[in-house]
Amino acid sequence: MHPTSFAGTPGIGTLGKAAYEFVDWLESAHQSLWQILPIGPTGYGDSPYASFSTFAGNPLLIDLDTLVEKGWADKNDIVPADYIKNEGPVEYGSVVWWKMPVLFKCAEYFLKNADKNSRVAYEAFKNDNSAWLDNYANFTSIKAYYDKEAEKKGISGSAQMWNAFWPKDLASCDPTAVSKWNAEHTENIEQIKVIQFFFAEQWFAVKAYANKKGVSLIGDIPIFVAADSADVWANQKFFQLDQNGIPKKVAGVPPDYFSATGQLWGNPLYDWDAMKKDNYSWWVKRTERMTKLVDVVRIDHFRGFEAYWSIPYGDPTAVNGKWIPGPNIDLFNAIKKALGTLPIIAEDLGVITDGVRKLRDDAGFPGMKVLQFAFDPNEAGKDGMVNAFLPHMYNTNAVVYTGTHDNDTMQGWLDSASDEAVQLAAEYAFGRKVEKSEARKLSDSGEVCKALIKTAIASCADYAVIPMQDILCLGAEARMNTPNTLGGTNWGWRIKPDGLTKENAEWLAFISDLYGRNLKTK
């Protein structure tokens, strides 16, 4: 359940009252894990996997009422616009248009009116986070100015980016030029830092509350970062870029069963040789930051550390890419040496080779098992082969999911799956022979969805994570993301205000206790 999905706040879920109510609900349901998506500031397409910074927090998650309660904002400044609704899918364009100017007003108010203790806390925040905060604030300030300049000239999209439209000295992150910009835009840059302070104060308060209730947070690190980000701009030597900051090669995945042309993600690729010479310091800092924000770290597209798909920049598809060896265990040894043994989950989905499995196992990370991938009738007992995603095939060092943010909901999957797949899922979940007509009837009623959740929780996997949409047995209308698509309802799902029911909490508590996942026994 990502915080954007909370209900009851203007336009988008926030780290306010709803976040605490969700933690209370988790406690009542005897749950000890809460998994989220990446929490960086989202850019074009609203994807949390394409953030302007891998270190910063998403300003849209800041709860405005909490700022007023702390005396950091004027209540007259936070009144929502008429077009902002408290329910229904997040409309990111509208939320950004309304909320970002409001946050800058709140930051201005804070700088003028904050009490001594608040100012001391703010200065400490700046000092503790200067390694990433200064770059992020400078990047955000410069970007906002030149985005407006580009729009005046009718320039949009990637042509606005730092490596295409900014003056060369600023685009190259020249220290003298950046210092000059900083001196000329002090107020704007300070406000950007205050907004990050707001986020940090609210985030760590929610995290402390969750931890006190016995709930650990699972966060998410996308393997790659967005080209249009403070990360790439301020660390160009660590990426495969030319002298103008243009990527030489970009990321994606090759053609497969799902896509004849592969997936062209477009992220700049790392220069792993340069990173190794620097003892992987950027990745160490990134990982260290995440271990402060959350308790467990999930690394997306883990297979890219063993080998990554390198696509020539400018190609229209991913077809012409090729596999290039990644840093392998060397990176994780460096992280372990610097930070110690960390709780990390490897997202090892997709076409996984023996080399990827060896890397995962050598690092000691649990991999992921997704129940939606388990019920292909063509694989059921065929030639002595059994689907590795079926729970009886798991080892303990794994995390089982009914589905992920990139899948349809479990109910949505059942609704669109073949009768044979639904029958197989029902028979596996109920442990008896089920005719196709009965299986479809049980599926339509939500009973198969609930039974599959029980199956995941009953498995031997060390961790079981269930999307909230599956607990509510919601259909495809509640899907979080459809890969390779932009806009629409992607990333927009919000739970209804009455969605956290006592009945579901009691049911989850019962099956979690029954199968030994009660947080009190951990």
Side-chain angles (χ1 to χ4, degrees):
M1 177 87 153
H2 197 51
T4 56
S5 296
F6 294 144
T9 44
I12 191 169
T14 70
L15 301 172
K17 181 182 177 183
Y20 293 88
E21 290 176 345
F22 180 63
V23 171
D24 290 342
W25 185 87
L26 288 174
E27 183 189 33
S28 71
H30 295 184
Q31 301 304 295
S32 57
L33 298 173
W34 168 17
Q35 182 163 334
I36 58 171
L37 301 175
I39 55 173
T42 50
Y44 307 111
D46 313 312
S47 170
Y49 292 88
S51 172
F52 292 129
S53 169
T54 191
F55 292 86
N58 189 347
L60 300 182
L61 294 176
I62 295 169
D63 187 74
L64 299 175
D65 289 328
T66 302
L67 297 182
V68 173
E69 290 169 7
K70 293 180 76 72
W72 293 354
D74 186 328
K75 65 180 181 180
N76 296 316
D77 288 338
I78 69 166
V79 178
D82 292 340
Y83 54 83
I84 298 295
K85 308 301 181 185
N86 284 16
E87 297 183 32
V90 180
E91 297 177 358
Y92 282 92
S94 298
V95 172
V96 171
W97 183 262
W98 161 69
K99 192 166 185 175
M100 289 309 299
V102 169
L103 285 168
F104 275 96
K105 279 188 179 180
C106 295
E108 182 181 7
Y109 184 93
F110 175 90
L111 290 169
K112 291 179 179 178
N113 300 287
D115 60 27
K116 182 179 179 180
N117 289 339
S118 298
R119 290 300 302 239
V120 168
Y122 172 55
E123 293 300 325
F125 165 78
K126 286 198 296 181
N127 183 65
D128 293 344
N129 295 278
S130 61
W132 64 266
L133 183 62
D134 292 344
N135 286 332
Y136 169 75
N138 288 326
F139 173 84
T140 304
S141 176
I142 301 169
K143 176 177 170 57
Y145 178 85
Y146 282 104
D147 278 359
K148 289 180 181 178
E149 289 298 301
E151 288 165 6
K152 290 177 184 177
K153 298 181 179 180
I155 298 171
S156 61
S158 61
Q160 286 185 351
M161 280 179 46
W162 60 268
N163 57 11
F165 190 74
W166 293 14
K168 189 169 181 59
D169 56 354
L170 287 174
S172 65
C173 200
D174 176 73
T176 302
V178 174
S179 215
K180 183 173 182 290
W181 180 276
N182 198 302
E184 294 172 351
H185 299 82
T186 303
E187 184 177 1
N188 176 244
I189 289 170
E190 199 69 18
Q191 289 170 355
I192 292 167
K193 292 180 179 181
V194 169
I195 291 171
Q196 283 301 305
F197 171 68
F198 289 162
F199 174 89
E201 286 289 297
Q202 294 187 9
W203 177 262
F204 286 110
V206 170
K207 181 180 183 295
Y209 186 79
N211 290 165
K212 185 178 179 182
K213 295 279 188 174
V215 176
S216 297
L217 271 68
I218 302 177
D220 199 322
I221 289 185
I223 182 174
F224 298 117
V225 294
D228 196 17
S229 67
D231 308 302
V232 178
W233 172 70
N235 300 279
Q236 295 176 44
K237 65 181 179 180
F238 293 141
F239 294 86
Q240 296 182 33
L241 308 175
D242 67 16
Q243 60 183 3
N244 295 314
I246 306 297
K248 298 175 183 176
K249 302 290 177 62
V250 295
V253 289
D256 58 17
Y257 175 81
F258 299 101
S259 173
T261 58
Q263 295 181 33
L264 178 62
W265 296 339
N267 306 77
L269 294 168
Y270 299 109
D271 184 335
W272 286 116
D273 289 338
M275 285 196 158
K276 183 174 183 177
K277 290 176 183 176
D278 194 55
N279 295 317
Y280 302 102
S281 65
W282 184 85
W283 262 97
V284 169
K285 291 172 185 174
R286 187 186 193 197
T287 308
E288 182 180 30
R289 169 70 171 162
M290 278 302 298
T291 59
K292 292 177 180 177
L293 290 167
V294 298
D295 303 295
V296 181
V297 178
R298 171 193 179 272
I299 301 182
D300 190 56
H301 193 60
F302 182 78
R303 75 103 53 244
F305 295 108
E306 191 269 341
Y308 57 89
W309 190 246
S310 176
I311 307 162
Y313 178 74
D315 273 21
T317 72
V319 170
N320 294 323
K322 61 180 181 178
W323 290 111
I324 304 294
N328 218 294
I329 195 66
D330 197 39
L331 169 65
F332 299 103
N333 286 340
I335 292 173
K336 183 176 181 179
K337 182 178 180 181
L339 304 176
T341 301
L342 300 175
I344 291 175
I345 296 169
E347 187 273 288
D348 57 346
L349 304 176
V351 180
I352 303 303
T353 65
D354 288 341
V356 179
R357 295 187 188 95
K358 183 178 187 305
L359 171 59
R360 179 199 63 201
D361 294 343
D362 287 350
F365 301 153
M368 289 176 56
K369 305 292 183 181
V370 179
L371 272 186
Q372 282 187 33
F373 300 159
F375 303 109
D376 183 346
N378 296 320
E379 295 182 1
K382 183 178 180 181
D383 299 326
M385 298 292 290
V386 181
N387 191 305
F389 289 98
L390 287 166
H392 69 273
M393 298 293 292
Y394 298 170
N395 57 30
T396 56
N397 194 31
V399 188
V400 58
Y401 297 79
T402 48
T404 74
H405 59 275
D406 281 338
N407 299 119
D408 202 343
T409 64
M410 179 56 84
Q411 188 61 49
W413 176 80
L414 288 165
D415 291 343
S416 61
S418 68
D419 288 343
E420 291 78 12
V422 174
Q423 180 186 31
L424 181 58
E427 290 183 340
Y428 192 92
F430 294 118
R432 63 178 177 83
K433 182 70 176 174
V434 180
E435 297 300 323
K436 290 180 183 177
S437 59
E438 182 192 5
R440 185 58 72 180
K441 185 176 180 181
L442 290 168
S443 173
D444 292 345
S445 70
E447 290 182 65
V448 176
C449 181
K450 291 283 190 180
L452 290 172
I453 292 173
K454 176 191 72 68
T455 299
I457 291 175
S459 77
C460 69
D462 283 341
Y463 301 98
V465 180
I466 316 297
M468 179 55 72
Q469 294 98 313
D470 290 353
I471 293 167
L472 299 174
C473 291
L474 297 177
E477 75 283 353
R479 181 171 183 159
M480 196 63 171
N481 178 54
T482 302
N484 291 327
T485 64
L486 288 174
T489 58
N490 280 356
W491 314 111
W493 177 74
R494 295 183 79 183
I495 193 170
K496 292 183 177 179
D498 58 354
L500 298 176
T501 66
K502 180 180 178 182
E503 292 75 17
N504 274 330
E506 289 176 345
W507 172 69
L508 269 179
F510 172 75
I511 59 174
S512 296
D513 293 352
L514 184 65
Y515 294 110
R517 294 192 185 272
N518 187 331
L519 64 90
K520 294 178 182 177
T521 66
K522 287 290 182 184

